[in-house]
Amino acid sequence: MAVCPVCNGLKDAVLMCTNCGQAMLEFGKLMDYYDDYSPYMEIDLLKLEDGFSDNYKRHTCAHLYRCPHCQNEEVMFIKE
Ligand SMILES: [Zn+2]
Ligand SMILES: [Zn+2]
């Protein structure tokens, strides 16, 4: 059974901020935020690549990253 390596602590995925180039911090699973803030997140999700809803359900685990320097937020899709 496929598992997300980040969720299981097998791997620290490092994402560099596209805005300032600093390492971003993993902020948790997007799904957790999506459940809590779906009225707000839906707007952001529309800006993500097409097919997100399929990936969301199936092959990838979406993690939210935030830059501690400029507060930029990005979503990284971890292959399960
Ligand atoms: Zn995950
Ligand atoms: Zn930044």
Side-chain angles (χ1 to χ4, degrees):
M1 184 176 171
V3 292
C4 170
V6 176
C7 285
N8 286 273
L10 301 174
K11 186 175 118 183
D12 272 335
V14 177
L15 188 65
M16 294 305 173
C17 178
T18 54
N19 197 41
C20 70
Q22 301 290 328
M24 300 180 80
L25 297 177
E26 204 253 328
F27 232 70
K29 290 181 72 170
L30 181 64
M31 193 159 55
D32 295 338
Y33 291 89
Y34 188 79
D35 286 343
D36 287 347
Y37 304 109
S38 45
Y40 308 100
M41 291 302 292
E42 270 176 42
I43 298 164
D44 284 340
L45 291 176
L46 291 176
K47 293 186 287 190
L48 298 174
E49 60 188 303
D50 290 340
F52 172 76
S53 56
D54 280 348
N55 289 335
Y56 174 68
K57 289 172 189 158
R58 284 186 276 167
H59 301 303
T60 60
C61 182
H63 283 258
L64 183 66
Y65 282 75
R66 178 175 289 162
C67 176
H69 301 277
C70 69
Q71 312 306 316
N72 181 36
E73 288 185 348
E74 292 189 29
V75 174
M76 187 176 188
F77 295 92
I78 310 293
K79 276 243 176 204
E80 295 190 356

